[in-house]
């Protein structure tokens, strides 16, 4: 099994380019199922999750070809309505195919995705939304069999602004008969990117990025070319790493508006950064004030940056309280950070982080994608050489993270 060896103590220097957003390209790839025309996607990040979504599309009859950062996708004919357990179990986001498959063929069978390391992660809001549009959901030997000979526009109130449910409903509703209103919709930038993509295909979606999304069903969608937005979580991870390690790093290909909640906290902590035309320049000095963080849905502090931010706070001056409100079990990185000397106590949904002077190297295990990023950050600021295992989690969602860090002067190597 591959692992990462990271020697801490080096300042980071130079420029790093952020890749396209994982959480934008996954639903957009699923939305490509809405048309038989050709789709071209630029700034497609090279990630394991993108490979899995491409395999899902191919198993339904489509073709996905990569040429550098460009993906060519064609779903001329849908040959199957079923995605096997093996693919769904590799990646939860495979459930994004439910909405577009219903819109295109009227039926889809997927293995129930189940839970994952960060919580039980039900899909009741996805299913409730699809049912409101006229779909029937049956459980059949572990498979969800969802069918709708005709989807009809509806008014749907989400009990929680779920990102995935908002996206699945948007994709199902864009070709439904009549108008759909999603109330209490999620407002993440990736939802806006998906809506823009569908509109470029001929869809009629308004209000994405607010909590009410208005979708007027159209008869047909056509092919298009689209550039994926930059990954705000990857950008945030590099900004945190640059701040924590010290040195000067320009993080390029970012949309600063997408990073507001992180930048506000970094200001409070005393991190010095500048917004420039090309990106965000961080002048790291290594040690900062402890700040409290509470994860929230967008535009609040993103849960996906909680783990790397917490790793940076392990060396802050004072005590920080980090509260996770989006997922029920997203502190798997804490025990690993403690093995590196961090002083952290979990109380309910909060982690109380008492800053220490020095972390030390250890062998640690990445339990999920963002926990993996947190462990890399911790290893970069620890004394000695750490070994990070189960790095396939990191490769699911960060495009060449170790290579990009080496480009900034970090001592990080992948070994088998
Ligand atoms: C997406 C992101 C993920 C991010 C999360 C929150 C993708 C591919 N993934 O995940 O990186 O961490 O948003 O910003 O875009 N919930 C239910 N029922 C449902 C759906 C969700 O109870 O039907 C709960 C979840 O268990 C969780 C919360 O709602 O506690 C938020 O989940 P959701 O916004 O749906 O996240 P995802 O779309 O899975």
């Amino acid at each position: 099994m591959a692992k990462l060896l990271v020697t801490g103590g080096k300042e980071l220097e130079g420029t790093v380019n952020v890749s396209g957003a994982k959480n934008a390209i996954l639903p957009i790839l699923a939305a490509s199922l809405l048309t038989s025309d050709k789709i071209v996607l630029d700034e497609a990040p090279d990630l394991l999750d993108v490979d899995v979504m491409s395999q899902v599309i191919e198993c339904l009859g489509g073709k996905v070809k990569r040429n550098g950062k460009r993906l060519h996708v064609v779903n001329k004919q849908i040959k199957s309505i079923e995605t096997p357990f093996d693919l769904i179990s590799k990646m939860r986001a495979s459930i994004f195919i439910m909405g577009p498959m219903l819109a295109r063929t009227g039926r889809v069978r997927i293995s129930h995705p189940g839970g994952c390391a960060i919580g039980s992660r039900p899909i009741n809001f996805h299913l409730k939304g699809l049912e409101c549009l006229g779909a029937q959901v049956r459980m059949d030997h572990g498979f969800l069999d969802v069918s709708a000979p005709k989807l009809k526009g509806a008014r749907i109130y989400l009990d929680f602004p779920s990102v995935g449910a908002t996206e699945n409903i948007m994709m199902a509703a864009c070709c439904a008969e009549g108008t759909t209103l999603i109330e209490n919709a999620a407002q993440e930038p990736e939802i806006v990117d998906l809506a823009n993509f569908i509109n470029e295909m001929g869809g009629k979606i308004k209000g994405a990025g607010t909590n009410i999304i208005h979708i007027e069903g159209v008869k047909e969608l056509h092919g298009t070319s689209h550039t994926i937005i930059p990954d705000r979580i990857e950008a945030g991870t590099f900004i945190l790493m640059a701040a924590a390690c010290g040195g000067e790093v320009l993080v390029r290909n970012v949309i600063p508006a997408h990073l507001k909640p992180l930048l506000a906290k970094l200001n409070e902590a005393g991190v010095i950064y500048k917004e420039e035309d090309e990106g965000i320049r961080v002048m790291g000095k290594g040690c900062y004030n402890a700040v409290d963080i509470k994860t929230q849905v967008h535009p609040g502090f993103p849960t996906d940056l909680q783990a790397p931010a917490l790793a940076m706070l392990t060396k802050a001056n004072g005590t920080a309280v980090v509260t996770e409100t989006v997922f029920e079990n997203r502190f798997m990185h804490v025990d690993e950070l403690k093995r590196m000397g961090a002083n952290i106590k979990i109380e309910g949904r909060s982690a109380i982080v008492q800053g220490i002077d020095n972390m030390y190297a250890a062998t640690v295990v990445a339990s999920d994608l963002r926990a993996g990023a947190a462990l890399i950050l911790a290893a970069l600021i620890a004394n000695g050489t750490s070994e990070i295992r189960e790095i396939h989690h990191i490769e699911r969602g960060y495009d060449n993270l170790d290579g990009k860090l080496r480009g900034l002067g970090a001592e990080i190597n992948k070994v088998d």
Side-chain angles (χ1 to χ4, degrees):
M1 278 294 222
K3 55 196 176 187
L4 285 173
L5 296 181
V6 185
T7 304
K10 290 256 156 61
E11 291 199 337
L12 300 183
E13 290 287 345
T15 299
V16 64
N17 285 314
V18 171
S19 300
K22 166 180 94 73
N23 288 352
I25 194 167
L26 294 177
I28 285 175
L29 269 173
S32 74
L33 289 161
L34 288 162
T35 177
S36 55
D37 292 350
K38 187 172 164 185
I39 299 290
V40 177
L41 300 176
D42 281 314
E43 287 297 325
D46 193 359
L47 306 170
L48 286 184
D49 273 8
V50 172
D51 293 346
V52 175
M53 189 55 100
S54 303
Q55 285 169 40
V56 169
I57 285 177
E58 291 190 335
C59 107
L60 299 172
K63 284 210 162 60
V64 184
K65 227 176 77 195
R66 181 179 280 279
N67 186 357
K69 288 199 231 171
R70 175 171 282 184
L71 287 187
H72 296 266
V73 190
V74 190
N75 292 290
K76 220 175 190 53
Q77 224 188 342
I78 303 291
K79 294 189 179 140
S80 165
I81 53 143
E82 184 169 311
T83 310
F85 171 80
D86 285 351
L87 285 178
I88 300 286
S89 64
K90 272 193 201 155
M91 187 187 66
R92 237 188 87 82
S94 323
I95 56 171
F96 286 140
I97 63 163
M98 282 197 297
M101 280 293 284
L102 272 186
R104 176 96 183 255
T105 69
R107 189 165 168 214
V108 60
R109 269 171 64 83
I110 62 161
S111 164
H112 196 294
C116 71
I118 60 175
S120 69
R121 300 187 81 174
I123 56 167
N124 51 325
F125 304 145
H126 298 242
L127 299 179
K128 179 184 146 188
L130 297 177
E131 280 172 337
C132 289
L133 296 172
Q136 282 192 340
V137 180
R138 270 193 319 123
M139 264 301 274
D140 171 19
H141 296 88
F143 270 84
L144 281 163
D145 193 320
V146 189
S147 56
K150 199 170 185 66
L151 290 167
K152 283 204 164 149
R155 190 170 179 157
I156 301 165
Y157 178 86
L158 290 177
D159 295 335
F160 179 87
S162 151
V163 174
T166 304
E167 292 170 336
N168 236 333
I169 297 166
M170 256 166 51
M171 292 188 276
C174 61
C175 292
E177 187 185 294
T179 301
T180 298
L181 214 59
I182 311 177
E183 293 174 307
N184 199 26
Q187 304 177 46
E188 271 66 2
E190 294 75 20
I191 294 198
V192 180
D193 206 29
L194 174 63
N196 287 342
F197 173 69
I198 294 174
N199 287 345
E200 285 154 19
M201 292 166 89
K204 290 191 173 162
I205 303 180
K206 284 188 200 151
T210 74
N211 63 356
I212 301 184
I213 302 179
H214 185 279
I215 305 151
E216 203 182 312
V218 295
K219 284 226 155 55
E220 224 179 30
L221 295 173
H222 52 74
T224 190
S225 295
H226 180 81
T227 302
I228 303 294
I229 55 167
D231 194 310
R232 65 195 164 101
I233 306 301
E234 186 195 348
T237 304
F238 280 118
I239 291 171
L240 285 161
M241 287 175 171
C245 292
E248 187 173 323
V249 174
L250 174 65
V251 183
R252 223 160 40 183
N253 191 31
V254 297
I255 299 176
H258 293 175
L259 287 160
K260 265 189 194 156
L262 172 71
L263 296 176
K265 275 291 149 191
L266 293 183
N267 248 336
E268 202 181 317
V271 175
I272 299 170
Y273 64 85
K274 256 195 331 209
E275 285 179 31
E276 298 181 355
D277 290 347
E278 271 196 282
I280 294 180
R281 185 179 296 279
V282 185
M283 278 74 78
K285 61 182 168 77
C287 196
Y288 305 100
N289 311 323
V291 288
D292 293 343
I293 290 176
K294 189 176 196 174
T295 66
Q296 273 165 348
V297 296
H298 193 76
F301 192 93
T303 171
D304 286 348
L305 285 176
Q306 179 257 104
L310 190 151
M312 180 175 124
L313 290 169
T314 54
K315 281 182 75 176
N317 294 321
T319 304
V321 180
V322 178
T323 306
E324 173 60 55
T325 74
V326 179
F327 288 105
E328 78 229 37
N329 186 24
R330 208 171 195 180
F331 282 128
M332 307 286 280
H333 40 291
V334 164
D335 278 341
E336 302 303 297
L337 292 172
K338 280 161 84 171
R339 281 141 58 84
M340 300 176 77
N343 184 349
I344 310 171
K345 212 166 62 187
I346 300 285
E347 276 187 13
R349 290 196 130 187
S350 297
I352 295 149
V353 190
Q354 171 72 57
I356 54 168
D357 288 340
N358 281 308
M359 301 267 281
Y360 43 79
T363 296
V364 287
V365 180
S367 55
D368 66 74
L369 168 59
R370 309 301 172 190
L375 297 179
I376 294 182
L377 190 154
L380 289 171
I381 56 173
N383 295 331
T385 301
S386 298
E387 184 178 311
I388 303 175
R389 298 193 176 173
E390 303 283 346
I391 59 170
H392 58 96
H393 288 295
I394 301 168
E395 291 168 349
R396 273 190 39 215
Y398 284 98
D399 185 344
N400 188 25
L401 183 54
D402 55 318
K404 288 181 182 181
L405 282 169
R406 269 194 303 280
L408 295 174
E411 216 178 310
I412 174 167
N413 289 298
K414 185 168 159 180
V415 291
D416 279 318

